[in-house]
Amino acid sequence: MTTAPKRTDLPEWQALAAQARALRRVHLRELFRRDPARGERYTAEAAGLFLDYSKNLVTDEILTGLFALARACGLAGARAAMFRGDRINVTENRPVLHVALRNRAQTPIRVDGKDVMPEVNAVLGRMSAFAQRIRSGTWRGHTGKPIRAVVNLGIGGSDLGPAMACEALNPYAQRDLAVRFVSNVDAAHFVEQTRDLDPAETLFIVASKTFATQETMTNAATARAWCLRALRAEAAVARHFAAVSANAPAVAQFGIDPANMFEFWDWVGGRYSLCSAVGLPLMIVIGPENFTALLDGFHLMDRHFAEAPLERNLPAILGLLGIWYNNFWGAETYAILPYDQALRRFPAYLQQADMESNGKQTDKEGRRVTWQTGPVIWGAPGTNGQHAFYQLMHQGTKLIPADFIGFCRTHQALGDHHVKLMANCFAQTEALAFGKTAAEVAAEGVPAALIPFRVFEGNRPTNTILAEQLTPATLGALIALYEHKIFTQGAIWNVFSFDQWGVQLGKVLADKVLTELQSLAEPALAHDSSTNALIRRFRQARQPIL
Ligand code: G6Q
């Protein structure tokens, strides 16, 4: 291990800390007054996304300082190493190449000297042929009926991406094909999602990189039994099950026809896998052409991240602004607020992408970090959030930076719904930034005693991301924007963003307890007194296993 300087010892870091102290006395109202063109100057655009970052607590000097920090932390070198296919996932000794999955330019990307693009294209081609057969009804189930429902069985990275994107791209869906997602090991999830489905018309996609995850394997076994109970022939499995995995032997052992297995590779992280075969349910639902448009959007943002100077680079700007609040203003959380019902699941998707990537306590040198790393990511669509948690954002005591995401055009042009939606989006960022002073409240005729309760301090920072319409390409660009924002932040915090030992821990922890819960004889428990007592209590009241 080398001994790179601690991030907090960098002169660029210390300069920013001093600038943050100085800026605390300046209000956004003042920053906008000083520079009337601020709202036009602090903007950037790429891959169909327009970013307005003017409502942030920054000045030209601070932005210069943030870009200098990115340079001092070697962001450009780290970025080049990822695109080149270096083994930057050091703790798992793997490259990180989700960018290869959507490398529409087809430039060779080599892993151990071998270009991965032919394999990537081959799997995309097989997915596309399979998707067409399901969509056109030429793929028949065991009894000869066409498929009407696709059920994805997967969890975490093998669930959140396609589940989010299927909802986001609903307007592009083939509406006579239902798509469902079962992730939780809680049987209620499987039961409720399949309640109204006919096994003869249902296709299960078992999506698991490892093909060993407890939840997914349990749901897959239940699905198999559900299917066979109705169709009464082992041969039905081949017509009603497909697999998405990096583990071919385990797929074969489960009984899924290798012809229905769609491969991905260990250099694709689960939370970065939407463009791999993990996107199969999405491709079936929106069609290969729209899926390709999604990949095109991802690729445009990838190129922008790789090539644009930091000062105009959307992911770098978003990442650095996040660092500014996380590390220099003490913000602990970050809100994602899409003004689009179809992006309902986008905050949850980013929660995984961001928190699993940068929720790390050890720097690349193996030292305990002495600076804050990834924030808590949360959010909900507007306008719903306005009637719930925005109160705390406006008048609470915590600083919550937020991204507002909206679209100029809607797929559901119904009356004045969309203009009302976007009026709320713009009005909220304005109110968060500028607030309402005591004088303004008094001028409204509010009694003196009530004025303190009606004052809004403002100075709450937000970004606005505006695009023309939520198309497959726009969604691709939007996801890639956040992926590379996360990459930027990981490079600056000097953490490994592409492993997830905390998730691995969860995967093994439950096994021991499961044996104890299931054992017929009273088990000898050697946990702490709390865990022992909980296990005993559960055993006393538990149902027999059916
Ligand atoms: C993602 C994580 C995690 C993973 C799931 C499912 O980056 O590693 O969310 O995707 O645990 O894993 P499998 O695909 O192997 O079932």
Side-chain angles (χ1 to χ4, degrees), residues 154-160 207-217 244 264 269-273 278 352 356-357 498-500 503-504 507:
I155 194 164
S158 299
D159 166 72
L160 287 161
S208 175
K209 181 172 164 183
T210 53
F211 228 72
T213 304
Q214 186 195 55
E215 294 89 335
T216 303
M217 291 302 106
V244 169
F264 68 118
R271 57 192 172 277
Y272 295 92
S273 65
V278 167
Q352 179 193 30
E356 218 168 81
S357 296
F498 299 100
D499 58 17
Q500 57 284 312
V503 181
Q504 313 305 81
K507 290 189 181 188

Side-chain angles (χ1 to χ4, degrees), residues 355-409:
M355 293 170 76
E356 218 168 81
S357 296
N358 286 335
K360 305 289 164 63
Q361 64 186 18
T362 306
D363 77 5
K364 289 183 182 168
E365 274 67 46
R367 301 171 299 207
R368 177 73 161 82
V369 292
T370 49
W371 51 94
Q372 287 287 322
T373 61
V376 176
I377 301 288
W378 59 284
T383 60
N384 295 18
Q386 291 174 206
H387 300 266
F389 54 78
Y390 278 38
Q391 165 62 35
L392 187 147
M393 296 177 70
H394 283 288
Q395 286 190 308
T397 52
K398 294 181 173 54
L399 178 72
I400 303 177
D403 291 349
F404 282 68
I405 303 169
F407 301 92
C408 299
R409 302 170 66 88

